[in-house]
């Protein structure tokens, strides 16, 4: 065998040995790390009265009034004066199909698959 053939055998042997050792020892040295356990908590819904009781107990004060969680009402906005300069342009309905322009015929037919 000439020199090129021997070098090829040596390189191939070293690479194959390395791959085999990596496959054998790789599982020992590069194991995946265990992931932490998933923590779960039991939850439940509560009524408004239960919430009021919990809120009062947390504050240490007396019972919470019914208006404590009420949403304030907002007055209706005043109507704005109509101004024709700022009003959007009137929309026109689409053109009827009878007035539509016909599509031109294709110059050459499509090639069949």
């Amino acid at each position: 065998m000439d020199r090129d053939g021997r070098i090829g055998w040596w390189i191939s042997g070293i690479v194959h040995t390395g791959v085999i050792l990596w496959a054998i020892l790789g599982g020992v040295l590069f194991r995946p790390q265990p992931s932490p356990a998933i923590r779960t908590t039991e939850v439940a819904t509560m009524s408004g009265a239960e919430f009021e009781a919990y809120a009062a107990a947390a504050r240490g004060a007396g019972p919470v009034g019914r208006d404590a969680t009420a949403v304030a009402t907002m007055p209706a906005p005043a109507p704005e004066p109509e101004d024709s300069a700022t009003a959007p342009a009137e929309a026109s309905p689409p053109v009827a199909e009878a007035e539509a322009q016909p599509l031109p015929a294709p110059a050459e037919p499509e090639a069949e698959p």
Side-chain angles (χ1 to χ4, degrees):
M1 239 202 277
D2 59 346
R3 184 171 186 233
D4 293 340
R6 285 182 294 182
I7 292 174
W9 280 100
W10 276 101
I11 292 175
S12 176
I14 291 171
V15 170
H16 278 88
T17 304
V19 169
I20 291 171
L21 287 175
W22 175 75
I24 292 171
L25 300 177
V28 174
L29 300 177
F30 304 111
R31 272 192 204 132
Q33 299 298 321
S35 60
I38 298 174
R39 296 183 346 181
T40 60
T41 303
E42 189 173 331
V43 296
T45 57
M46 68 172 78
S47 67
E50 289 174 325
F51 174 76
E52 300 295 337
Y54 285 131
R59 259 189 267 133
V64 178
R66 291 182 181 244
D67 296 334
T69 57
V71 178
T73 58
M74 296 179 61
E80 294 185 20
E82 296 217 12
D83 186 13
S84 62
T86 59
E90 291 291 323
S92 60
V95 178
E97 210 170 299
E99 298 175 11
Q101 298 176 355
L103 294 174
E108 57 187 53
E110 293 183 12
E112 292 187 25

